[in-house]
C-alpha cells in the first residue's frame, strides 16, 4: 500500500516535472524564461518526495494507527513541497497545481487543502510589470515586436499537444473577450449567470479591461452560509450551465477551477448568481464528437450497458471502455452497472477510487493516447467540476443527471431535425416533448419519494422521543 501511495504522489510530482522538461526540451518556452534551474528544481522535488515515501513508510505495519499517522504527515510534507515548487516555477506549474487542488474526490485531503491556495493566492506579476504592459499597449510608447514569454495552459502531460494548439489563443486577450461575449449571448436565458462586461476601447491583445464583479469562490461553503446562498441551488445551476455548453452548443469553458467561478447575491434582486471568469480556454467540439458524447451519457444515465460499450468504443476506448465510463463518471464499474443515477457516491466508493487511481495509471495512459483530443479538456473540465461538487457536498445528485439528460435529448432532437421532411420534424418534436415529459415525471417521483421518506422519518422520530412534560 505504501508503494501505491508512492505511485500516486510520484505521478503527481512527475506530472509537474515532466511537463516542464517536455516544454523546455522542445523549445516551446524561451530557455531564458524556463531554464535548467526550473527543470532541476522540479526533478529534485520529485526525488525528495519519492525518497520520503519510501523511507518513512517502509518499516511501519500497514493499516496500523502509526502507519496512518505517518502517511498523513508524508502526504502533507509532499503537498507543501509541490506547492513551493509551483510558486517557484510559476507559469505551467501553477496551472497543474490549480488542477490538482480541485481533485477533492481523487487525491488525499492533505494535497487538495494545501494546493487550493493556488486558486486565489497564486504568485502575481508585480505592478511594475503590469504598468509596463499597459504603457506599451495603450500608451503607444513602444512598438511591441513579439511576445517571447510563453506560458502554456495545460494540466497534465497528455495535454501538451492541446496546449500548443490553444496557446496562441489563450495569450490573445482580444480572443478571451470575444469568448466571454459569445458565452454570455449563448447562455443569456440563464438569469443566474453573470459574465463580466468587456470594455473594448481599452483592450488589446495583452490588456483586457473588464467589469469588476465581486463574490466568493464557488467551493467556499462558509461564504455561502454567511450570505444565505443555497449550495444545492448553486450546484444545480453549475450543472445546467455546463450541460448546455457541452451537449447543446459544443462550446465549453475549460478552466472552471474555484478561482474562476464566483458566487454572490445579485445587488438588484438578491438572487444567487454565478460569475464566470477567465474565458481564454474554450474547447469547440465537433458535431460528431458532441453527438457521440450525448449518446454515451444518455446510455450511462439510463444504464444501457450495450450502448455504453458502443459509444465508448466510438470514442476510441476499445477494450478499455469500462475504464472510460469510470473516468467520465468518477464512479466504480459496479456503480456504473447498477446505475449512476440510482445511488449516491458513498465514502467506501470514494476510498476505492482513490486507492485504485495509481494502480491503473498504465491503462489510463493508454486510454488517453487513443481518445479524441477533444476528450482531454473535457476530462479536465469534468475533474474541476467534480472537485467543486465534492467541496459543496452535492456530488452526483440525481437532479444533475436529469438535467444532463434533458440537454442530451434536446441536442439529439435538434440534430435529427436538420435533414428531414416537415412531417418527420413534427414526429421528432413530439418524441422530444414526450422524452422531456418522462424526465420531468421521473424527477417529480423522486421528489415525492424524498418528501414521503422525510415525513416517515419525522413521524418515527416523534414516536421515539418522549412527550414533553
Amino acid at each position: 500500500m505504501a508503494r501505491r501511495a508512492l505511485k500516486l504522489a510520484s505521478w503527481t510530482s512527475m506530472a509537474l516535472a515532466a511537463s516542464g522538461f517536455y516544454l523546455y526540451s522542445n523549445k516551446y518556452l524561451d530557455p531564458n524564461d524556463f531554464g535548467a534551474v526550473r527543470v532541476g528544481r522540479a526533478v529534485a522535488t520529485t526525488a525528495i518526495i519519492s525518497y520520503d515515501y519510501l523511507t518513512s513508510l517502509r518499516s511501519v505495519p500497514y493499516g496500523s494507527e502509526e502507519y496512518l499517522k505517518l502517511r498523513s504527515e508524508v502526504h502533507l510534507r509532499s503537498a507543501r513541497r509541490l506547492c513551493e515548487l509551483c510558486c517557484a516555477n510559476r507559469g505551467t506549474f501553477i496551472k497543474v497545481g490549480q488542477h490538482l487542488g480541485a481533485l477533492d474526490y481523487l487525491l488525499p485531503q492533505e494535497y487538495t487543502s494545501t494546493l487550493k491556495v493556488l486558486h486565489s493566492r497564486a504568485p502575481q506579476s508585480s505592478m511594475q510589470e503590469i504598468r509596463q504592459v499597459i504603457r506599451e499597449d495603450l500608451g503607444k510608447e513602444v512598438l511591441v515586436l513579439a511576445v517571447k514569454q510563453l506560458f502554456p495552459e495545460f494540466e497534465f502531460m497528455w495535454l501538451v499537444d492541446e496546449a500548443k494548439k490553444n496557446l496562441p489563443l489563450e495569450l490573445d486577450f482580444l480572443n478571451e473577450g470575444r469568448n466571454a461575449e459569445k458565452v454570455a449571448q449563448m447562455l443569456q436565458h440563464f438569469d443566474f449567470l453573470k459574465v463580466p462586461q468587456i470594455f473594448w476601447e481599452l483592450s488589446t491583445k495583452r490588456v483586457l479591461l473588464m467589469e469588476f464583479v465581486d463574490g466568493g469562490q464557488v467551493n467556499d461553503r462558509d461564504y455561502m452560509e454567511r450570505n444565505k446562498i443555497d449550495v444545492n441551488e448553486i450546484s444545480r445551476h453549475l450543472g445546467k450551465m455546463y450541460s448546455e455548453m457541452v451537449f447543446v452548443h459544443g462550446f465549453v469553458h475549460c478552466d472552471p477551477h474555484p478561482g474562476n467561478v464566483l458566487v454572490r447575491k445579485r445587488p438588484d434582486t438578491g438572487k444567487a448568481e454565478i460569475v464566470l471568469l477567465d474565458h481564454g480556454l474554450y474547447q469547440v467540439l465537433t458535431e460528431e464528437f458532441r453527438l457521440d458524447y450525448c449518446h454515451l451519457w444518455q446510455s450511462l444515465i439510463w444504464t444501457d450497458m450495450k450502448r455504453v460499450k458502443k459509444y465508448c468504443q466510438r470514442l476510441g476506448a476499445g477494450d478499455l471502455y469500462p475504464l472510460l465510463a469510470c473516468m467520465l463518471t468518477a464512479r466504480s464499474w459496479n456503480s456504473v452497472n447498477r446505475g449512476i443515477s440510482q445511488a449516491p457516491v458513498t465514502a467506501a466508493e470514494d476510498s476505492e477510487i482513490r486507492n485504485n487511481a495509481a494502480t491503473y495509471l498504465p491503462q489510463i495512459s493508454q486510454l488517453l493516447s487513443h481518445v479524441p483530443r477533444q476528450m482531454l479538456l473535457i476530462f479536465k473540465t469534468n475533474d474541476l467540476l467534480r472537485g467543486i461538487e465534492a467541496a459543496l457536498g452535492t456530488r452526483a445528485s440525481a437532479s444533475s443527471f436529469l438535467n444532463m439528460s434533458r440537454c442530451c435529448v434536446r441536442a439529439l432532437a435538434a440534430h435529427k431535425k436538420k435533414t428531414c421532411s416537415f412531417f418527420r420534424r413534427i414526429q421528432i418534436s413530439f418524441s422530444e416533448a414526450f422524452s422531456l415529459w418522462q424526465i420531468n415525471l421521473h424527477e417529480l417521483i423522486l421528489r415525492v419519494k424524498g418528501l414521503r421518506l422525510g415525513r416517515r422519518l419525522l413521524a418515527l422520530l416523534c414516536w421515539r422521543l418522549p412527550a414533553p412534560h
Side-chain angles (χ1 to χ4, degrees):
M1 193 62 192
R3 290 191 175 276
R4 277 190 184 176
L6 173 61
K7 276 185 183 179
L8 186 58
S10 297
W11 172 69
T12 301
S13 52
M14 283 300 292
L16 296 167
S19 57
F21 182 77
Y22 184 95
L23 290 167
Y24 173 71
S25 62
N26 286 277
K27 297 182 173 57
Y28 297 138
L29 296 179
D30 190 313
N32 295 322
D33 299 322
F34 199 99
V37 172
R38 295 188 182 187
V39 176
R41 189 184 290 132
V43 172
T45 300
T46 302
I48 291 170
I49 289 174
S50 301
Y51 182 78
D52 195 359
Y53 273 97
L54 282 173
T55 56
S56 299
L57 301 176
R58 178 185 297 164
S59 58
V60 184
Y62 170 71
S64 65
E65 186 175 340
E66 183 184 4
Y67 175 88
L68 296 176
K69 180 182 177 183
L70 279 175
R71 186 180 65 178
S72 178
E73 291 173 357
V74 177
H75 281 340
L76 186 58
R77 286 197 299 270
S78 301
R80 286 172 176 167
R81 287 167 178 146
L82 282 179
C83 191
E84 290 170 3
L85 171 65
C86 292
C87 292
N89 279 2
R90 303 176 69 172
T92 296
F93 288 78
I94 294 290
K95 300 302 295 181
V96 177
Q98 287 174 340
H99 192 169
L100 297 176
L103 299 183
D104 298 84
Y105 72 95
L106 181 61
L107 295 180
Q109 181 268 340
E110 292 86 353
Y111 279 90
T112 56
S113 61
T114 301
L115 293 170
K116 277 178 182 176
V117 69
L118 300 174
H119 290 151
S120 56
R121 296 194 296 276
Q124 300 176 355
S125 300
S126 68
M127 284 303 300
Q128 182 179 356
E129 293 171 315
I130 295 171
R131 289 193 186 101
Q132 178 66 20
V133 172
I134 292 174
R135 278 198 301 267
E136 290 178 358
D137 276 47
L138 297 181
K140 308 300 182 185
E141 295 177 8
V142 180
L143 291 176
V144 180
L145 298 177
V147 179
K148 293 183 179 179
Q149 296 183 350
L150 304 179
F151 300 95
E153 303 287 340
F154 74 100
E155 301 303 330
F156 292 108
M157 289 179 287
W158 52 81
L159 291 179
V160 168
D161 290 338
E162 283 297 301
K164 288 192 293 178
K165 182 181 73 176
N166 290 314
L167 181 59
L169 296 176
E170 290 186 76
L171 292 176
D172 183 351
F173 284 166
L174 295 179
N175 176 70
E176 179 172 346
R178 288 190 292 269
N179 286 342
E181 290 195 338
K182 179 175 179 177
V183 80
Q185 175 68 22
M186 189 175 83
L187 303 180
Q188 61 180 322
H189 55 289
F190 289 146
D191 60 359
F192 57 78
L193 175 63
K194 171 68 176 178
V195 178
Q197 179 186 353
I198 307 299
F199 297 98
W200 290 108
E201 65 276 11
L202 293 173
S203 297
T204 73
K205 283 192 173 186
R206 293 203 301 170
V207 177
L208 184 65
L209 184 64
M210 57 200 309
E211 174 187 7
F212 175 76
V213 183
D214 201 3
Q217 289 190 3
V218 71
N219 64 341
D220 189 343
R221 287 184 65 101
D222 292 337
Y223 173 88
M224 295 191 202
E225 289 174 4
R226 289 195 307 270
N227 290 274
K228 295 181 172 57
I229 296 174
D230 185 353
V231 295
N232 292 298
E233 181 184 16
I234 291 297
S235 186
R236 284 194 301 271
H237 287 341
L238 201 59
K240 285 180 182 178
M241 188 171 77
Y242 270 88
S243 292
E244 191 90 6
M245 286 188 206
V246 173
F247 300 115
V248 178
H249 298 283
F251 185 70
V252 190
H253 179 283
C254 285
D255 204 11
H257 69 70
N260 287 341
V261 186
L262 307 182
V263 293
R264 67 169 188 168
K265 283 283 190 72
R266 283 185 58 170
D268 53 347
T269 65
K271 290 183 178 180
E273 186 174 57
I274 294 175
V275 182
L276 192 60
L277 306 176
D278 193 350
H279 300 271
L281 182 59
Y282 272 75
Q283 177 67 277
V284 180
L285 307 179
T286 65
E287 186 169 64
E288 180 183 8
F289 177 91
R290 180 174 62 86
L291 295 174
D292 283 343
Y293 196 59
C294 280
H295 281 297
L296 174 54
W297 267 105
Q298 279 285 68
S299 305
L300 287 165
I301 291 168
W302 299 110
T303 324
D304 186 340
M305 300 311 296
K306 287 185 179 180
R307 287 168 65 84
V308 167
K309 179 179 179 180
K310 172 184 174 180
Y311 286 103
C312 280
Q313 291 181 335
R314 279 180 63 90
L315 290 168
D319 292 336
L320 294 174
Y321 70 90
L323 180 59
L324 177 58
C326 293
M327 289 173 64
L328 285 174
T329 59
R331 302 294 299 270
S332 68
W333 182 238
N334 285 337
S335 293
V336 172
N337 276 282
R338 287 198 308 266
I340 56 174
S341 61
Q342 302 303 314
V345 182
T346 64
E349 186 179 358
D350 260 343
S351 178
E352 178 187 346
I353 292 170
R354 290 172 189 263
N355 291 337
N356 289 336
T359 305
Y360 288 101
L361 281 180
Q363 291 89 340
I364 291 172
S365 178
Q366 181 184 348
L367 177 66
L368 292 171
S369 68
H370 288 92
V371 296
R373 298 300 88 189
Q374 299 165 84
M375 183 67 82
L376 301 182
L377 285 181
I378 291 292
F379 274 132
K380 171 196 166 184
T381 304
N382 286 348
D383 281 343
L384 293 172
L385 290 174
R386 288 199 192 96
I388 292 170
E389 289 176 344
L392 297 180
T394 60
R395 188 169 155 225
S397 66
S399 177
S400 67
F401 289 128
L402 293 174
N403 284 325
M404 291 172 67
S405 191
R406 286 188 183 95
C407 286
C408 291
V409 167
R410 288 168 46 213
L412 294 171
H415 173 70
K416 291 175 184 176
K417 291 176 188 176
K418 286 182 179 178
T419 56
C420 61
S421 65
F422 174 77
F423 180 72
R424 178 60 182 148
R425 285 199 297 272
I426 296 296
Q427 286 182 314
I428 294 169
S429 294
F430 274 115
S431 177
E432 176 187 4
F434 180 70
S435 295
L436 292 173
W437 176 82
Q438 284 182 306
I439 294 171
N440 292 338
L441 179 62
H442 183 64
E443 186 171 37
L444 178 62
I445 291 171
L446 289 176
R447 287 182 180 178
V448 170
K449 282 183 178 179
L451 290 172
R452 186 183 302 162
L453 179 61
R455 286 198 299 270
R456 286 178 179 175
L457 288 173
L458 182 61
L460 180 63
L461 182 63
C462 293
W463 179 70
R464 289 283 186 183
L465 290 175
H469 297 290

